[in-house]
Amino acid sequence: MSTSSPTPFELLDLEFGFALNPKTLEQNLFQASLKWHPDRFALASPEERLLAEDQMAAINEAHDLLIDPLSRAEFLLATFPEDPDGQEQRNSDPEFLMEMMELRETVEVAIKGGSSDETCQLHMDLTRKESKILAKFGEYWENLQSPPKKSELAALKHLCEHARYLRSALLQLQQPLFNPALIRRDD
């Protein structure tokens, strides 16, 4: 008999879904830590100490995955099987692809020649845009039919992909924001 590993939601005693109260997540992390923290097992057998370490590591990984809305969305989508026809493809919508190309160019210009104020503003704009897309993902998720239609999953995957592109751009922008020497100054 095969037992599957608990999901991140199960590890932190949370309802499976996109909507998540960060305060509840933190409280449940604290409760799980009280139960499994390795310091509580300092005088236990080596097997029990190893189990506690493994459990605490899994709990921390679950927290890290669930606290980030994008990784939470990706996890939820991964719970659905891949396209049985093997026809699943990345987004080929020309408008979306053009938007992402323009975004990449904007980010490169901001990094190479923009002021720190412009780079910071772009970072804030992209953060807001990512938040809106993930909020839309949450709305779609809450209204999924059971079982979900192929078109519903495709819409969720498109939103997730869009958010991933934005996250990639945000990560590119963070480098010069946290290392101002990388931004050209107009003195």
Side-chain angles (χ1 to χ4, degrees):
M1 179 185 337
S2 165
T3 59
S4 62
S5 299
T7 70
F9 294 95
E10 292 167 337
L11 283 170
L12 290 165
D13 195 27
L14 296 165
E15 188 175 319
F16 185 83
F18 186 75
L20 190 136
N21 181 332
K23 186 175 180 177
T24 302
L25 175 62
E26 296 306 317
Q27 289 170 341
N28 291 13
L29 172 65
F30 180 74
Q31 290 301 317
S33 296
L34 286 177
K35 180 179 179 180
W36 289 106
H37 197 282
D39 289 350
R40 293 198 64 224
F41 294 82
L43 301 175
S45 71
E47 294 82 16
E48 290 173 313
R49 285 194 309 266
L50 184 58
L51 174 64
E53 289 172 10
D54 290 346
Q55 278 296 112
M56 202 61 232
I59 288 165
N60 285 327
E61 287 175 21
H63 174 269
D64 291 348
L65 183 137
L66 295 176
I67 195 71
D68 175 35
L70 179 55
S71 62
R72 189 168 61 244
E74 291 173 331
F75 176 83
L76 291 169
L77 282 175
T79 63
F80 292 101
E82 293 294 317
D83 184 8
D85 303 328
Q87 308 254 336
E88 195 164 351
Q89 298 176 5
R90 297 230 13 102
N91 192 327
S92 58
D93 173 23
E95 188 177 315
F96 172 75
L97 296 174
M98 183 61 76
E99 181 184 348
M100 292 307 105
M101 282 178 33
E102 289 171 2
L103 173 60
R104 186 175 305 261
E105 288 174 11
T106 302
V107 168
E108 287 176 10
V109 167
I111 290 171
K112 289 180 183 172
S115 71
S116 58
D117 289 343
E118 291 169 339
T119 303
C120 202
Q121 183 62 50
L122 179 58
H123 191 275
M124 288 188 307
D125 293 345
L126 294 179
T127 299
R128 275 192 292 273
K129 192 170 188 176
E130 179 191 45
S131 293
K132 285 181 182 178
I133 288 168
L134 289 169
K136 193 177 216 180
F137 179 98
E139 291 171 23
Y140 281 30
W141 181 267
E142 296 304 317
N143 294 310
L144 271 183
Q145 294 184 11
S146 184
K149 294 179 181 177
K150 198 174 186 177
S151 61
E152 291 176 314
L153 290 175
L156 286 169
K157 288 178 182 181
H158 175 72
L159 289 169
C160 204
E161 184 177 353
H162 198 152
R164 260 194 307 272
Y165 271 101
L166 291 169
R167 178 67 58 89
S168 175
L170 285 165
L171 291 172
Q172 279 183 282
L173 283 172
Q174 283 178 351
Q175 189 174 12
L177 285 175
F178 293 111
N179 186 356
L182 297 175
I183 298 177
R184 186 180 61 98
R185 304 246 184 250
D186 295 328
D187 293 336

